[in-house]
Amino acid sequence: MMRWIIFIIVYLLFTIYSFQAIKTITKQSWVHYLFIAIAVVVIGNFIFQFTTSSEGRVLSPAKSYAFGFLLAFMSLALVLVPILLGEDIIRGALGLYDKLVTKETFYLPSRRKFVSQIALGLAAIPFTSLLYGMYRGKYRFRVLNYTLHFEDLPDAFDGYRLTQISDIHSGSFDNKEKIEYAVDLINEQQSDTILFTGDMVNNKASEMIPWKDTFGRLKAKDGKFSVLGNHDYGDYVDWPTKEEKSKNLEDLKTIQKDIGFDLLLNEHRYLEKDGQRIAIVGVENWGKGGFKKAGDLKKASSQIEPNDFKILMSHDPSHWDAEVVNDDYHYHLTLSGHTHGMQFGIEIPGWIKWSPVKWRYKQWAGIYEALGQYINVNRGFGYLGYPGRVGIWPEITVIELKKGKKEA
């Protein structure tokens, strides 16, 4: 209860302070009332969504949108308040100077309109970006292509193409047409195999039922493989019984099978071509920082040869640094997801790649290399929490394997 009181007080203070910029710019009372009305609706909806009955740490679409609108509205305040506070400090200093030097009555200079205009102009950038991310950005799918070279790649797999998707989070979807477009886009890549690296749902297997037919259309001549992510286990739901939680996981496994995915639970499969083979290794979720550690790399690789060419599917990229890259076995390529790139950041290819998530995960988006091994961290297909994406768009990864050294 105390946390809610503190939160509401902070929200009110930020809102009142931001309101000063509106009052300085325009004297139109209807604009003032509109700002106040929006502030009340945003906080009221947020409180309602997050204080009503819950099944645990479950983020329903309604809760996600309540959070998204609060985040967008607060982004205004987070830009406005420092600028207005800076101006108030200057105004106060000028008034105090006049009082001490001229010995006149203390007079506080009025707010300058152009300062409020500049502040609102700057605040509009994150505000409109967050709204755009909720409206369009979350379905702005893009295909990223990489070519990776390996000297010990079997000759038969030179030019082999694989498509990776991750973090579907079907419980968040609200536009079937966009999802069908993305599935068609995956098929258009005509890769030899499709690899899904976990988090099919947000919380419950039932979230995927409306999307079974859509994702069942995914096609790859050498099959489709998957692993579990931290959200797939139902750990964030307050289940009435352990039996219901176990049934939920079994239901999800069945759904994955119905869709056509070969779910790898600390096990492996071989892809064979012209008498040669590569190993697809899949571990259950293994993550640092309080996430489930059900993954067993030794068990998953127990029946493959050390010299096999290996592609590892592991949902959480923290697994790579912690256990994979220094393992006695050489895992040529690891495929992960989980971070979503925080669904927020700035990316200009060849210039900048930044997101706050970099402070949590060393490998958070794209290709990384260490000790002759690669990891690709997919930015995610879906979204969770904030119901949108800004700068970090939903991703379909296509990786082509090439024999030999990369040309300089």
Coordinates of all heavy atoms in Angstrom, one line a residue, residues 5 20 39 52 69 72 89 103 110-111 137 141 161 206 222 226 231 237 243 255 270 274 287 389 405:
I5 N 1.0 4.7 -2.5 CA 0.9 6.0 -2.1 C 2.1 6.9 -2.6 O 1.9 8.0 -3.1 CB 0.8 6.1 -0.5 CG1 -0.5 5.4 -0.1 CG2 0.9 7.5 0.0 CD1 -0.6 5.3 1.4
Q20 N 2.6 23.2 -15.7 CA 3.0 24.6 -15.7 C 3.5 25.0 -17.1 O 3.3 26.1 -17.6 CB 4.2 24.8 -14.7 CG 3.9 24.4 -13.3 CD 2.6 25.1 -12.8 OE1 2.4 26.3 -12.9 NE2 1.7 24.2 -12.2
A39 N -4.3 13.0 -17.8 CA -3.5 12.6 -16.6 C -4.3 11.7 -15.6 O -3.8 10.7 -15.1 CB -3.0 13.8 -15.9
T52 N -6.7 -4.8 -9.4 CA -7.7 -5.8 -9.4 C -7.1 -7.2 -9.3 O -5.9 -7.4 -9.4 CB -8.5 -5.7 -10.7 OG1 -7.7 -5.7 -11.8 CG2 -9.3 -4.4 -10.7
F69 N 0.6 3.3 -21.8 CA 0.1 4.7 -21.8 C 0.7 5.5 -20.6 O 1.0 6.7 -20.8 CB -1.4 4.8 -21.8 CG -2.1 4.4 -23.1 CD1 -2.9 3.3 -23.2 CD2 -1.8 5.1 -24.2 CE1 -3.5 2.9 -24.4 CE2 -2.4 4.8 -25.4 CZ -3.2 3.7 -25.5
A72 N 4.3 6.4 -21.7 CA 4.3 7.5 -22.7 C 4.0 8.8 -22.0 O 4.7 9.8 -22.3 CB 3.2 7.2 -23.8
I89 N 15.2 27.4 -10.9 CA 16.4 27.6 -10.1 C 17.0 29.0 -10.6 O 17.4 29.8 -9.7 CB 17.4 26.5 -10.3 CG1 16.9 25.2 -9.6 CG2 18.8 26.9 -9.7 CD1 17.8 24.0 -9.8
K103 N 18.0 45.6 -2.7 CA 17.3 45.8 -1.4 C 15.8 45.9 -1.6 O 15.1 46.4 -0.7 CB 17.8 47.0 -0.6 CG 19.3 46.9 -0.3 CD 19.7 45.7 0.4 CE 21.2 45.8 0.7 NZ 21.7 44.6 1.5
S110 N 8.7 35.9 -14.2 CA 7.7 34.9 -14.7 C 8.4 33.9 -15.6 O 9.5 34.1 -16.1 CB 6.7 35.7 -15.5 OG 7.2 36.4 -16.5
R111 N 7.8 32.8 -15.8 CA 8.3 31.8 -16.7 C 8.4 32.3 -18.2 O 7.5 33.1 -18.6 CB 7.4 30.5 -16.7 CG 7.4 29.8 -15.4 CD 6.6 28.5 -15.6 NE 6.5 27.8 -14.3 CZ 7.4 26.9 -13.9 NH1 8.5 26.7 -14.6 NH2 7.3 26.3 -12.7
G137 N 5.0 0.1 -34.4 CA 6.4 -0.4 -34.2 C 6.4 -1.9 -33.8 O 7.3 -2.6 -34.2
F141 N 8.1 -5.8 -38.7 CA 9.0 -6.9 -38.8 C 10.1 -6.6 -39.9 O 9.8 -6.0 -40.9 CB 8.2 -8.2 -39.3 CG 7.3 -8.7 -38.2 CD1 5.9 -8.3 -38.3 CD2 7.7 -9.4 -37.2 CE1 5.0 -8.8 -37.3 CE2 6.8 -9.9 -36.2 CZ 5.5 -9.5 -36.3
R161 N 21.1 -22.7 -45.1 CA 20.4 -21.5 -44.6 C 19.5 -21.9 -43.4 O 18.7 -22.9 -43.6 CB 19.6 -20.8 -45.7 CG 20.5 -20.0 -46.6 CD 19.7 -19.7 -47.9 NE 18.5 -19.0 -47.6 CZ 18.4 -17.6 -47.5 NH1 19.5 -16.9 -47.6 NH2 17.2 -17.0 -47.3
S206 N -2.8 -21.9 -23.3 CA -4.0 -21.6 -24.0 C -3.8 -20.3 -24.9 O -4.6 -20.1 -25.8 CB -5.1 -21.3 -23.0 OG -4.8 -20.3 -22.0
D222 N 14.0 -29.3 -44.0 CA 14.7 -30.1 -43.0 C 14.1 -30.0 -41.6 O 14.7 -30.5 -40.6 CB 16.2 -29.7 -43.0 CG 16.9 -30.1 -44.2 OD1 16.4 -30.9 -45.0 OD2 18.0 -29.5 -44.5
S226 N 12.6 -26.5 -31.7 CA 12.3 -25.4 -30.7 C 12.9 -25.8 -29.4 O 13.2 -27.0 -29.1 CB 10.8 -25.2 -30.6 OG 10.2 -26.4 -30.2
H231 N 9.3 -18.1 -19.9 CA 7.8 -17.8 -19.8 C 7.0 -19.1 -20.1 O 5.8 -19.1 -19.8 CB 7.4 -16.7 -20.7 CG 7.7 -15.3 -20.2 ND1 6.8 -14.6 -19.4 CD2 8.8 -14.6 -20.2 CE1 7.3 -13.5 -19.0 NE2 8.5 -13.4 -19.5
V237 N 2.5 -17.6 -13.0 CA 1.1 -17.7 -12.7 C 0.9 -18.3 -11.3 O 1.7 -19.3 -10.9 CB 0.4 -18.6 -13.7 CG1 -1.1 -18.7 -13.4 CG2 0.6 -18.0 -15.1
E243 N -0.5 -29.7 -10.1 CA -1.0 -30.5 -11.2 C -1.5 -29.7 -12.4 O -1.2 -30.0 -13.5 CB -2.2 -31.4 -10.8 CG -1.8 -32.6 -9.8 CD -1.5 -32.1 -8.4 OE1 -1.9 -31.0 -8.0 OE2 -0.8 -32.8 -7.7
I255 N 1.0 -28.6 -28.1 CA 0.7 -27.5 -29.1 C 1.9 -27.4 -30.0 O 1.8 -27.2 -31.2 CB 0.4 -26.2 -28.4 CG1 -1.0 -26.3 -27.7 CG2 0.4 -25.0 -29.4 CD1 -1.4 -25.1 -26.9
Y270 N 20.3 -34.8 -35.3 CA 21.2 -34.6 -36.4 C 20.5 -34.2 -37.7 O 19.4 -34.8 -38.0 CB 22.0 -35.9 -36.6 CG 23.2 -36.1 -35.7 CD1 23.2 -37.2 -34.8 CD2 24.3 -35.2 -35.7 CE1 24.3 -37.4 -33.9 CE2 25.3 -35.4 -34.9 CZ 25.4 -36.5 -34.0 OH 26.4 -36.7 -33.1
D274 N 24.0 -35.8 -47.8 CA 25.1 -36.4 -48.6 C 26.1 -37.1 -47.7 O 27.3 -37.0 -47.9 CB 25.8 -35.3 -49.4 CG 24.9 -34.6 -50.4 OD1 23.8 -35.2 -50.7 OD2 25.2 -33.4 -50.8
G287 N 19.2 -19.4 -17.2 CA 19.5 -18.0 -17.2 C 20.0 -17.5 -15.9 O 19.6 -18.0 -14.8
R389 N 7.3 -1.4 -29.7 CA 8.7 -1.4 -29.9 C 9.1 0.0 -30.5 O 8.4 0.5 -31.4 CB 9.1 -2.5 -30.9 CG 9.1 -3.9 -30.3 CD 9.5 -5.0 -31.3 NE 9.6 -6.3 -30.7 CZ 10.7 -6.8 -30.2 NH1 11.9 -6.1 -30.3 NH2 10.8 -8.0 -29.7
K405 N 37.3 -19.6 -44.6 CA 37.5 -18.4 -43.9 C 36.8 -17.2 -44.5 O 36.5 -17.2 -45.7 CB 39.0 -18.1 -43.9 CG 39.9 -19.0 -43.0 CD 41.3 -18.5 -43.0 CE 42.2 -19.4 -42.1 NZ 43.6 -19.0 -42.1

